[in-house]
Amino acid sequence: MEKIIQVKDLSKTYKKKKTKEIVKAVDSVSFDVYRGEILGLLGPNGAGKTTTIKSICGLLVPNGGSVHINGYDSNKQRLKALNYISAVLEGNRNIYWRLTVRENLEYFAGNRGVNRRHIQDKIDELLAFFDLKKKETELVSSLSRGMQQKLAIAVALLADTDVLLLDEPTLGLDVETSYEVRDLLKKIVEQQGKTIIISSHDMPVVQDVCDRTVIINGGKVVADEKVEDLIKLFDTRAYSFTIEGQLSEKQTRLIQNHFPIFDVQDNQVQITVEKENDLYTMMDILKSDQTKIEKIDRTTVDFEQVFMQLIQKEGQDDPAVASH
Amino acid sequence: MIQLWHLINANLRKEYIELKRYYPNTITMIVQFYFIFLAMLLGIHVVGDPQQIDTNVQYVIVNYVIWFFMLTIMQDLGYVILFEAQRGTLEQLFMSPLGMWRILLARIIANLVIYGVIVSVLLVLSMATAGEWLVFRIDVVLPIFLISILGMLGIGFMLAGLAIIFKQIQSVLNVLQFILMGLAFVPLSVAPYLIFAPLVKGIDMVRHVMIHGYTWLDFSFWDYSALILNSAFYLVLGVVIYLKSEKVAMEKGLLSQY
Ligand SMILES: Nc1ncnc2c1ncn2[C@@H]1O[C@H](COP(=O)(O)OP(=O)(O)O)[C@@H](O)[C@H]1O
Ligand SMILES: [Mg+2]
C-alpha cells in the first residue's frame, strides 16, 4: 500500500511562557499513514495529539524529525504539501461565525484559489450530505455546535484533498450528534476513498471509526496496530477469577501493584496478564488469604482497558488510574 | 495566476458581505467621509482669498485621501491577523496552499477596491454638493500614489508579521497613524533625510504636482529613482520580515494564541 504520510522522528518542544520550562510535547514520534485508511491518533489529554496534527499541517515547525505528505516535506515545502491536506482543528472556530453556511464554503474554497461558480454543485452535494441544506443561508453563529462541526468538516471536504485531518472531531458534541458525525466520517471513507486521520482521547470513537490506531502518551508512540488486532492481542490475556467472598485489603493492594489493569466486581476479579507467570502470581495472592477460587475464565477486554494498560506501562509509578 | 484572481474575488466578496451585513458601521463611515470632504471643500469659500486658498485646499483634500489609504494599507494587515487570531480562524487561513501572504494581499486589494469606490463616489458627490470642483493632474498624481502604496504595503506586511508574534500590537497600530500623519504633512525641504522614510518622497512629489503645478517632465530622473527605490526597498523588507515572522510563530507555536 502506498504511504501518503510519513511521520519520522517528529519532536516538538515548547517553552512555557511563565515558567520558561521546556515541555516535550512530542518526542520522536514515527508512523506512516496509508492511502485510503482511517487512522486514529489516540491518547489522553496533553499526550501530544494536537501538536502532531499541527506539525502534519505545517502549522508548527518541528524541532526534530520530519513529516512528508505525498513526498513533500510539510515544513520545507509547506505550500506544496498543503495541496494534499485539509484539516478541522480542535474546537469550534474553524469557520466564520459572521458568515452564512454557504458563504463559508465559498470563501474557504476561494482561499484555495477555486472558482466559486465551479463548485456550486459540489456545495449542494455537501449540504445535502451533511443535512445542512435548510440552514445554508443562516449565520454560523446561530447554528448548534454539532451543525458547526459538520460545516467545518464540509469546508475541509470541499477542498477535495487526498487527506483529511480531524482533531477531536466529536469533542463537545452531544452523544447523538457524536454518533451522527462518526457515521458520516465512515461514509466519507467508503464513498470517497479519502485518507483520514482522527485524533481523539475518546476510545469508542476510534474503535468505532478507525482501521488502525496509533496510541500516544507523554509525546511518545506506545502502540501502532490495527484496532482489531490490538483488542485480540489483549483478549487472550484477560482472565476472570470468580472467588468465594471478597478480596482482603492486602490482596487488593497486591493485585493493584502487580496488575496495572484490574477490575473487581463483587466476587469477580478480572486481570490482564503479560507473562505466563502472572497467572500463578495471581493465584498466590489469592491463596495468601485462603481465598477460594471457584472459577477461572478467559474473558474479553474492551478497548478502554487496552488503552489504559498501554498508558499505564509508560507511567508505572502512577497508580492513580489503576482501577476503574 | 487565475488562482490569485479567484482568491481576490473570494476576499472581495467576504469584505463586501461583511460591510453590508454590519451596515450601521458602514453608513457611519460613509457619512463621515462625506462631511469631511464637504467641510474641506466649503472651506475654500469661508477662508479668505479663493485664488490662494484654492490650491491649498485642493492639496489638503488630496493629501487627506492619500493619508487615509496609506493608513488603511499600513494598519489593515495587522488588524486582519489580530481579528483572525481572536476568532480562531487564523490557522485555517494558514492552511491554504496559496500561502497566507497571498491571502493578506488579496484582503488589502479587496479593501482598496471597496474604499476606492466609496471614496471616489463620495468625493464626486461632495464636490457636486459644494459646487466646488477639484482640478488637478490626476494622471500624474495617481501613478505616484500607486508606487507609494507599494512601499506602504511593505510596512503593512511588517506590522502583520509583528502581529503574528506579538498579539498585543493593537496600541502600536494606533500610535502609528499619528507618526504617519506627521510624515504625510512634513515637506522634504524641511527634513531632507526623511527621503529614507517610507511614503515621504511620494507625498512630496504629489505636493509639487498640486501646489507648484509639476507634471511628468518637471521631475528629474532622481526623483523617480528615489520614489521607486524607496517603495521597492520597503516592500521587499516588509515581505521578508513578514515571512520570517511566520516561521518564528510556527516554531514557537504562536499561531493559535491571542
Ligand atoms: N503553544 C504551547 N505552548 C506551550 N505548551 C504547549 C503548547 N501547546 C501544547 N503545549 C503542551 O504540549 C503538550 C501536548 O499538548 P497537545 O499536543 O495539545 O496535546 P493533546 O492534543 O494530546 O491534548 C501539553 O503538555 C501541552 O500543555
Ligand atoms: Mg488536543
Side-chain angles (χ1 to χ4, degrees):
Chain A
M1 259 198 305
E2 183 198 351
K3 287 176 190 170
I4 191 161
I5 295 181
Q6 289 172 286
V7 179
K8 205 161 180 315
D9 298 326
L10 184 74
S11 295
K12 181 75 200 167
T13 55
Y14 295 110
K15 210 190 222 158
K16 280 237 168 89
K17 250 189 194 160
K18 286 183 197 124
T19 54
K20 297 284 170 212
E21 175 192 353
I22 305 271
V23 186
K24 269 193 177 175
V26 170
D27 188 4
S28 233
V29 162
S30 301
F31 60 90
D32 297 322
V33 187
Y34 298 91
R35 187 180 286 280
E37 80 170 330
I38 176 160
L39 176 79
L41 194 58
L42 186 62
N45 277 331
K49 302 180 296 293
T50 299
T51 305
T52 305
I53 297 255
K54 285 188 181 174
S55 302
I56 296 173
C57 295
L59 293 170
L60 287 171
V61 177
N63 299 86
S66 64
V67 178
H68 282 86
I69 298 154
N70 261 346
Y72 294 110
D73 188 309
S74 75
N75 172 32
K76 296 189 185 86
Q77 300 162 291
R78 207 175 91 81
L79 297 185
K80 282 210 177 80
L82 284 177
N83 278 310
Y84 305 100
I85 52 175
S86 52
V88 177
L89 301 171
E90 210 169 6
N92 55 356
R93 289 298 187 153
N94 288 280
I95 44 183
Y96 288 99
W97 286 30
R98 290 161 156 241
L99 296 182
T100 65
V101 169
R102 186 176 274 270
E103 284 163 0
N104 265 288
L105 287 159
E106 288 177 347
Y107 178 68
F108 282 105
N111 258 352
R112 296 181 79 103
V114 175
N115 188 341
R116 191 170 65 88
R117 285 196 213 99
H118 291 174
I119 48 164
Q120 293 304 320
D121 291 346
K122 179 89 194 183
I123 288 179
D124 287 329
E125 236 172 75
L126 284 168
L127 288 175
F129 182 78
F130 285 99
D131 198 19
L132 288 168
K133 189 79 193 150
K134 272 176 282 170
K135 301 277 177 185
E136 68 168 305
T137 56
E138 281 185 35
L139 292 184
V140 167
S141 53
S142 73
L143 301 184
S144 69
R145 172 81 181 89
M147 286 192 254
Q148 289 173 342
Q149 187 67 346
K150 286 197 288 181
L151 175 59
I153 298 173
V155 167
L157 276 178
L158 187 58
D160 202 20
T161 52
D162 294 350
V163 184
L164 178 62
L165 294 124
L166 302 159
D167 194 1
E168 306 263 11
T170 55
L171 190 69
L173 303 185
D174 57 73
V175 181
E176 204 179 321
T177 322
S178 167
Y179 274 107
E180 189 191 348
V181 168
R182 286 190 215 176
D183 286 341
L184 288 168
L185 291 175
K186 280 192 269 189
K187 262 196 213 155
I188 291 165
V189 175
E190 271 167 35
Q191 294 173 1
Q192 312 194 12
K194 294 237 179 272
T195 309
I196 299 188
I197 302 180
I198 296 178
S199 96
S200 183
H201 68 275
D202 195 12
M203 289 132 288
V205 172
V206 172
Q207 186 174 9
D208 182 21
V209 182
C210 301
D211 305 324
R212 187 163 62 98
T213 178
V214 169
I215 300 181
I216 60 172
N217 186 38
K220 288 196 161 89
V221 174
V222 295
D224 178 350
E225 307 254 7
K226 283 222 162 101
V227 172
E228 46 182 334
D229 289 350
L230 204 56
I231 293 171
K232 244 187 253 159
L233 183 71
F234 282 84
D235 254 2
T236 56
R237 304 199 202 141
Y239 292 90
S240 168
F241 289 75
T242 309
I243 54 172
E244 233 178 57
Q246 307 269 317
L247 287 176
S248 72
E249 224 171 90
K250 191 186 91 195
Q251 285 172 324
T252 311
R253 205 171 46 245
L254 281 170
I255 292 171
Q256 183 174 328
N257 285 340
H258 205 86
F259 303 98
I261 300 289
F262 79 106
D263 189 24
V264 187
Q265 254 149 27
D266 288 337
N267 61 343
Q268 295 262 343
V269 186
Q270 192 181 318
I271 56 163
T272 306
V273 301
E274 279 184 57
K275 305 182 291 279
E276 206 57 29
N277 249 352
D278 286 346
L279 209 53
Y280 300 112
T281 310
M282 180 65 184
M283 290 180 190
D284 286 342
I285 291 172
L286 292 175
K287 233 192 312 184
S288 67
D289 276 339
Q290 270 84 42
T291 307
K292 256 196 165 163
I293 303 171
E294 287 188 344
K295 210 162 57 157
I296 304 178
D297 293 308
R298 281 204 159 165
T299 64
T300 53
V301 292
D302 63 23
F303 196 43
E304 177 157 354
Q305 287 171 305
V306 174
F307 179 59
M308 292 309 264
Q309 168 138 8
L310 284 165
I311 285 170
Q312 270 296 293
K313 263 201 240 160
E314 289 300 303
Q316 293 264 329
D317 37 23
D318 177 17
V321 265
S323 81
H324 77 274
Chain B
M1 199 56 204
I2 187 79
Q3 285 189 323
L4 203 57
W5 169 248
H6 295 311
L7 174 69
I8 292 170
N9 221 325
N11 282 282
L12 194 58
R13 259 179 75 81
K14 176 177 181 293
E15 297 293 313
Y16 173 70
I17 289 167
E18 290 194 354
L19 276 180
K20 218 171 63 176
R21 191 155 292 150
Y22 300 94
Y23 62 89
N25 294 340
T26 314
I27 290 174
T28 312
M29 178 187 76
I30 287 174
V31 169
Q32 237 169 26
F33 269 124
Y34 178 71
F35 281 109
I36 287 174
F37 289 150
L38 202 60
M40 286 177 174
L41 285 162
L42 292 175
I44 297 173
H45 292 301
V46 180
V47 191
D49 175 20
Q51 208 67 58
Q52 233 285 305
I53 301 295
D54 202 24
T55 43
N56 276 332
V57 167
Q58 294 211 1
Y59 169 63
V60 166
I61 292 180
V62 171
N63 221 8
Y64 173 75
V65 170
I66 291 179
W67 174 77
F68 168 76
F69 278 106
M70 295 303 169
L71 186 67
T72 304
I73 292 172
M74 187 180 71
Q75 292 183 327
D76 209 46
L77 299 185
Y79 279 124
V80 168
I81 297 286
L82 291 184
F83 287 151
E84 297 288 342
Q86 270 161 23
R87 291 176 192 175
T89 36
L90 186 62
E91 288 181 302
Q92 276 300 339
L93 298 185
F94 269 92
M95 293 284 301
S96 165
L98 296 181
M100 185 64 190
W101 70 271
R102 284 196 186 86
I103 295 177
L104 288 174
L105 189 65
R107 285 275 173 99
I108 201 77
I109 290 174
N111 274 335
L112 287 182
V113 169
I114 289 174
Y115 286 124
V117 170
I118 292 178
V119 167
S120 308
V121 169
L122 289 176
L123 204 50
V124 171
L125 215 64
S126 51
M127 286 193 288
T129 319
E132 196 69 47
W133 296 86
L134 290 180
V135 184
F136 65 98
R137 291 291 300 270
I138 194 158
D139 62 316
V140 187
V141 170
L142 199 62
I144 295 174
F145 170 70
L146 289 177
I147 295 173
S148 307
I149 272 187
L150 294 178
M152 286 315 285
L153 192 58
I155 305 286
F157 269 110
M158 222 178 277
L159 293 171
L162 295 182
I164 298 178
I165 299 176
F166 310 103
K167 299 280 161 36
Q168 278 77 32
I169 204 174
Q170 187 134 3
S171 48
V172 178
L173 289 176
N174 285 332
V175 169
L176 275 173
Q177 61 181 306
F178 297 108
I179 296 176
L180 190 71
M181 202 180 320
L183 290 181
F185 289 96
V186 178
L188 259 187
S189 50
V190 175
Y193 51 87
L194 278 182
I195 196 166
F196 296 112
L199 180 68
V200 176
K201 181 64 189 168
I203 297 247
D204 198 61
M205 287 171 77
V206 169
R207 183 180 296 122
H208 278 85
V209 177
M210 297 294 301
I211 295 185
H212 306 298
Y214 274 42
T215 66
W216 289 113
L217 294 178
D218 296 315
F219 290 112
S220 70
F221 171 73
W222 293 113
D223 288 324
Y224 290 116
S225 307
L227 178 70
I228 292 169
L229 281 178
N230 182 294
S231 279
F233 173 76
Y234 280 103
L235 182 62
V236 171
L237 182 70
V239 171
V240 167
I241 289 180
Y242 170 77
L243 291 175
K244 181 70 196 156
S245 306
E246 265 191 359
K247 266 278 173 306
V248 170
M250 288 172 184
E251 272 159 17
K252 299 199 168 168
L254 301 174
L255 288 185
S256 54
Q257 293 179 345
Y258 59 90

